[in-house]
């Protein structure tokens, strides 16, 4: 995936400390990531470990992926602090990508998850300059402008700031560590 | 200005005279470790990116340790072991610890030092977040994902952002009722589950340097639960004696410069620390065993890279000897070497295995990660209902050990064993 400048999609809102066991529970880590059919199961079970009452805030009890499907109706996740904590399983950001997520906007990230999202080129991990999870509702229409560093809630009309991607911008722009290494001549094209 | 140990190790591996916190640098990797959960994905990316005939950068530096989903009937899990086996054969890798053979080890973070793959001053990456355990040997060790691991497999290099170091000093040897687990749970309670994000956590002081190598591993093991990039303990005679007993490979230890810059320094007196627990559902939800006394338990679990080493079982056996457990108690040795130790280590004329059996505990038939991370539904010790469990493991997130409705308390082997005997959370000082 190379970087899209403007990302539009519906919000799925989660709380603080969403760990990788909630993003993809360990019993599902056995499916093949290279088989095009089998890998869809990661989309089916993405976020299935989130306790129901906090799945899709503020109301909760909103399944991220409809039963029997592997694609979510939501394209952007809004999270709180320390998103993606816990395990180094790359299945976590990849499961979100398979479910159709193109960006996550969180207050802060656990570093391995963040790094995996960047180096694997699964989606753009944006950091918000303020807490968003009480302000944005699951189902709101969002518009993210990466170069302007803004997130607009089209439903409510409010706009928010995003932190610059900083050190990882070049890798995100290239679409992952392999693409970046080829672009910079470290690997043969 | 001088460098911290972490800065110095990373600078040396980048071929630079110095590296400072915040620098992005490419480092040469000494060891890459992977296992059955992340190995197949890593291999898939390696083949896709480097071609079907590509060879790994250095056969001697790749270590593959199946450990997660071993004793299960899950067919996908079995297929993943087959994928590892095929890759090892194709690449002719010497360090593979195959299931069903005499070489089988069990939990990778305990197997790595047992097999001599952890050495002071080196850089170790592994496709598991608890790879930070190896910082106990005075090296830089951290967890990575499949893509980064595949990149290393092909190139032997990876970019890292040099972390700042938070230093934690413990004064005074541990009182007889405390273990390293209490210290690290105490720290995580202080700084929170994201209190060390992007940073190194360095442990020192006479309280830390008086710990055995296994207890030092427990400290470094859980830095990831505070968001830490790596945990590290300066190497000393204890480290060198252990490492030299496992490998003849040369290594060069590093130490902090006297004028190194630290993000922060926290000092603790070990005698001020209480037997500590982390309450559901977060490792920073700290309480003392006394405060939680009386909470009813269905289960006690002793195992994993955090609390399944031989010293952890010796500690548990001290309390379980001559007792009967009231909560269902599961014993899972981390490695086959630990499992042999249970049979041969004696306490007042009885082996640890006998002590556990007489106490009514259930012993795993094999060494592995087992129920620490839930795993397939037939995993030994997995929480499949709304059980309340006290565990020597590292994480108590919702659903971590199986069911989303289960509740997990994390504690030291002493506290877990004392609680197993009474069936409620119990301060181990009641038994010691």
């Amino acid at each position: 995936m190379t970087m899209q400048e403007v990302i539009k999609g519906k919000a799925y809102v989660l709380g603080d400390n969403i760990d990788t066991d909630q993003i993809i529970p360990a019993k599902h880590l056995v499916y093949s990531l290279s088989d095009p059919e089998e890998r869809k199961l990661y989309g089916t079970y993405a976020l299935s470990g989130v306790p129901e009452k906090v799945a899709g805030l503020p109301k909760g009890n909103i399944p991220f992926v409809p039963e029997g499907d592997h694609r979510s109706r939501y394209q952007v996740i809004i999270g709180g602090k320390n998103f993606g904590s816990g395990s180094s399983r790359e299945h976590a950001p990849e499961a979100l990508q398979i479910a159709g997520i193109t960006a996550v906007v969180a207050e802060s990230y656990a570093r391995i998850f963040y790094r995996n999202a960047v180096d694997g080129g699964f989606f753009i991990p944006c950091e918000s300059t303020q807490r968003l999870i009480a302000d944005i509702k699951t189902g709101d229409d969002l518009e993210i402008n990466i170069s302007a560093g803004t997130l607009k809630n089209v439903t409510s009309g409010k706009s928010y700031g995003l932190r610059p991607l900083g050190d990882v911008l070049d890798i995100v722009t290239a679409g992952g560590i392999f693409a970046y290494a080829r672009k910079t001549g470290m690997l043969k094209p | 200005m001088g460098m911290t140990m972490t800065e110095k190790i990373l600078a040396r591996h980048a071929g630079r005279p110095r590296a400072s916190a915040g620098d992005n640098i490419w480092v040469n990797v000494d060891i890459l470790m992977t296992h059955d959960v992340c190995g197949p994905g890593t291999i898939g990316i390696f083949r896709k990116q480097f071609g079907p005939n590509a060879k790994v950068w250095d056969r001697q530096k790749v270590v593959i340790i199946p450990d997660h989903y071993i004793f299960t009937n899950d067919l996908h899990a079995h297929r993943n072991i087959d994928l590892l086996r095929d890759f090892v054969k194709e690449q002719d890798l010497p360090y593979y610890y195959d299931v069903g053979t005499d070489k089988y080890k069990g939990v990778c973070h305990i197997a790595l030092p047992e097999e001599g793959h952890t050495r002071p001053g080196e850089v170790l990456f592994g496709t598991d977040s608890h790879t930070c355990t190896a910082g106990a040997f005075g090296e830089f060790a951290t967890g990575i994902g499949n893509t980064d691991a595949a990149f290393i497999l092909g190139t032997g290099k990876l970019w890292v952002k040099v972390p700042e170091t938070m230093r934690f000093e413990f004064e005074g040897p541990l009182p007889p009722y405390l273990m390293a687990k209490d210290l690290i749970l105490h720290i995580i309670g202080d700084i929170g589950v994201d209190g060390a994000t992007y940073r190194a956590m360095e442990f020192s002081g006479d309280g830390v340097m008086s710990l055995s190598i296994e207890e030092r591993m427990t400290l470094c093991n859980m830095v990831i639960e505070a968001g830490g990039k790596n945990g590290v303990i300066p190497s000393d005679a204890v480290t060198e004696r252990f490492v030299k007993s496992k490998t003849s490979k040369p290594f060069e230890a590093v130490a902090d410069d006297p004028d190194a810059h630290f993000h922060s320094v926290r000092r603790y007196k070990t005698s001020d620390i209480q037997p500590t627990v982390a309450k559901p559902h977060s490792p920073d939800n700290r309480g003392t065993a006394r405060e939680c006394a009386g909470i009813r338990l269905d289960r006690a679990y002793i195992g994993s890279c955090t609390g399944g080493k031989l010293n952890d079982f010796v500690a548990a056996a001290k309390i379980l000897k001559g007792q009967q457990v009231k909560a269902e108690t599961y014993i899972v040795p981390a490695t086959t070497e630990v499992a042999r130790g249970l049979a041969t280590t004696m306490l007042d004329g009885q082996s640890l295995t006998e002590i556990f059996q007489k106490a009514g505990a259930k012993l795993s038939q094999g060494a592995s990660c087992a129920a620490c991370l839930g795993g397939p539904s037939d995993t030994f010790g997995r929480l499949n209902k709304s059980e309340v469990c006290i565990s020597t493991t590292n994480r108590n997130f919702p659903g971590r050990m199986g069911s989303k409705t289960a509740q997990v308390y994390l504690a030291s082997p002493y506290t877990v064993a004392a609680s197993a005997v009474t069936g409620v959370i119990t301060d181990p000082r009641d038994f010691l």
Side-chain angles (χ1 to χ4, degrees):
Chain A
M1 183 188 91
T2 46
M3 192 169 79
Q4 266 178 278
E5 268 301 305
V6 176
I7 294 166
K8 292 180 185 177
K10 283 195 185 301
Y12 190 79
V13 184
L14 294 164
D16 291 323
N17 301 316
I18 297 298
D19 64 78
T20 53
D21 283 282
Q22 294 184 59
I23 297 172
I24 185 75
K27 71 172 173 187
H28 298 302
L29 302 179
V30 293
Y31 318 131
S32 169
L33 285 161
S34 27
D35 182 278
E37 277 307 306
E38 196 174 318
R39 68 185 261 112
K40 289 180 183 169
L41 287 167
Y42 286 104
T44 303
Y45 296 110
L47 294 177
S48 63
V50 178
E52 281 76 6
K53 64 178 182 200
V54 289
L57 295 173
K59 285 186 183 159
N61 291 300
I62 302 173
F64 176 61
V65 178
E67 181 113 23
D69 204 348
H70 71 281
R71 298 286 283 184
S72 175
R73 290 173 48 222
Y74 308 95
Q75 297 79 38
V76 177
I77 288 172
I78 301 293
K81 289 181 200 159
N82 198 30
F83 192 91
S85 58
S87 150
S88 64
R89 61 187 73 156
E90 194 166 296
H91 314 69
E94 200 157 1
L96 297 180
Q97 184 204 40
I98 294 167
I101 287 297
T102 49
V104 175
V105 183
E107 262 178 276
S108 64
Y109 291 89
R111 55 160 289 279
I112 305 179
F113 178 88
Y114 183 81
R115 190 182 167 101
N116 286 345
V118 169
D119 281 359
F122 298 114
F123 52 78
I124 305 179
C126 302
E127 280 184 314
S128 56
T129 55
Q130 66 184 94
R131 191 163 175 83
L132 300 177
I133 59 174
D135 229 39
I136 295 176
K137 295 181 171 61
T138 295
D140 283 358
D141 283 301
L142 304 179
E143 210 172 288
I144 296 171
N145 189 315
I146 297 294
S147 52
T150 56
L151 164 69
K152 188 175 178 193
N153 186 339
V154 178
T155 306
S156 72
K158 286 191 194 170
S159 280
Y160 308 92
L162 301 176
R163 294 188 195 285
L165 284 166
D167 295 336
V168 300
L169 176 67
D170 291 344
I171 301 175
V172 172
T173 310
I177 191 178
F178 280 100
Y180 173 77
R182 291 206 164 89
K183 211 162 133 180
T184 54
M186 193 179 165
L187 289 182
K188 279 181 233 143
Chain B
M1 195 174 60
M3 289 186 280
T4 64
M5 294 179 62
T6 296
E7 287 170 335
K8 216 182 265 186
I9 295 169
L10 293 175
R12 188 185 284 176
H13 284 76
R16 297 158 50 123
R18 60 172 298 121
S20 306
D23 291 348
N24 284 298
I25 57 177
W26 290 90
V27 294
N28 292 309
V29 178
D30 292 308
I31 295 286
L32 173 72
M33 187 281 301
T34 190
H35 52 45
D36 55 307
V37 168
C38 296
T42 299
I43 292 163
I45 298 169
F46 171 76
R47 288 195 175 124
K48 185 177 159 199
Q49 294 288 346
F50 295 101
N53 302 317
K55 290 285 172 195
V56 302
W57 100 101
D58 189 335
R59 294 169 51 240
Q60 299 293 329
K61 294 183 175 176
V62 180
V63 179
I64 302 185
I65 309 177
D67 60 355
H68 275 60
Y69 304 155
I70 308 303
F71 305 101
T72 168
N73 292 318
D74 190 291
L75 295 176
H76 286 114
H78 289 195
R79 177 196 58 190
N80 287 341
I81 307 282
D82 290 338
L83 286 169
L84 295 181
R85 227 169 248 153
D86 291 347
F87 185 70
V88 164
K89 203 169 162 194
E90 169 198 304
Q91 301 283 331
D92 190 22
L93 301 179
Y95 300 117
Y96 175 55
Y97 301 93
D98 201 5
V99 182
T101 72
D102 289 347
K103 282 190 80 182
Y104 178 69
K105 292 294 299 181
V107 179
C108 57
H109 309 300
I110 312 305
L112 280 169
E114 285 177 356
E115 294 298 309
H117 300 302
T118 55
R119 295 175 289 263
E122 293 199 348
V123 168
L124 164 72
F125 288 101
T127 60
D128 191 288
S129 58
H130 290 109
T131 303
C132 53
T133 310
F137 300 90
E139 65 180 316
F140 176 86
T142 193
I144 54 171
N146 299 348
T147 299
D148 283 347
F151 195 92
I152 295 173
L153 268 186
T155 66
K157 291 178 195 299
L158 193 64
W159 73 272
V160 285
K161 184 169 181 164
V162 179
E164 286 187 292
T165 296
M166 298 172 84
R167 190 170 179 167
F168 299 85
E169 294 175 4
F170 284 90
E171 186 191 320
L174 261 58
Y177 49 84
L178 283 190
M179 297 186 73
K181 183 69 172 281
D182 297 297
L183 307 188
I184 190 68
L185 287 176
H186 188 87
I187 290 174
I188 298 166
D190 271 356
I191 67 174
V193 285
D194 57 356
T197 299
Y198 284 97
R199 302 196 190 109
M201 293 172 74
E202 183 177 317
F203 305 98
S204 61
D206 64 307
V208 171
M209 303 320 287
S210 68
L211 295 175
S212 69
I213 210 77
E214 289 165 299
E215 284 281 88
R216 295 180 191 187
M217 288 165 70
T218 304
L219 273 184
C220 291
N221 173 274
M222 285 190 71
V223 303
I224 182 68
E225 270 58 72
K229 183 169 198 154
N230 63 307
V232 72
I233 296 176
S235 65
D236 64 359
V238 173
T239 324
E240 297 207 1
R241 202 178 316 124
F242 179 91
V243 172
K244 284 180 180 164
S245 75
K246 301 295 181 185
T247 178
S248 54
K249 287 198 177 139
F251 55 86
E252 203 180 328
V254 287
D256 293 316
D257 288 330
D259 56 344
H261 174 75
F262 292 91
H263 166 273
S264 53
V265 180
R266 281 170 185 262
R267 294 189 176 88
Y268 298 89
K269 277 200 174 72
T270 53
S271 55
D272 290 343
I273 309 234
Q274 307 289 312
T276 303
V277 299
K279 298 177 276 187
H281 293 282
S282 184
D284 64 356
N285 191 11
R286 184 177 73 194
T288 63
R290 284 257 154 87
E291 285 162 5
C292 296
I295 292 174
R296 201 189 55 78
L297 299 165
D298 301 300
R299 184 172 298 186
Y301 186 95
I302 307 176
S304 84
C305 55
T306 316
K309 304 179 276 347
L310 188 58
N311 75 305
D312 297 311
F313 293 110
V314 169
K318 280 185 198 164
I319 288 177
L320 291 175
K321 186 168 56 74
Q323 303 280 358
Q324 277 296 308
V325 296
K326 284 213 177 77
E328 232 185 351
T329 301
Y330 287 78
I331 303 277
V332 187
T335 64
T336 48
E337 191 170 314
V338 174
R340 282 192 292 276
L342 296 187
T344 55
T345 306
M346 307 301 280
L347 205 63
D348 299 333
Q350 294 181 71
S351 72
L352 303 188
T353 304
E354 284 170 318
I355 291 169
F356 295 143
Q357 279 169 344
K358 283 184 185 163
K362 298 176 181 1
L363 271 72
S364 170
Q365 96 270 34
S368 80
C369 301
C372 171
L373 77 163
S377 37
D378 60 351
T379 300
F380 182 77
R382 189 179 194 273
L383 304 179
N384 287 323
K385 302 188 301 243
S386 308
E387 294 97 340
V388 182
C389 176
I390 191 163
S391 176
T392 66
T393 55
N394 42 56
R395 289 182 180 146
N396 57 350
F397 304 146
R400 167 70 178 183
M401 292 184 72
S403 168
K404 277 197 265 191
T405 58
Q407 295 184 54
V408 177
Y409 291 81
L410 306 175
S412 77
Y414 278 151
T415 303
V416 171
S419 306
V421 172
T422 59
V424 294
I425 295 183
T426 299
D427 189 304
R429 280 173 286 194
D430 295 356
F431 288 85
L432 290 165

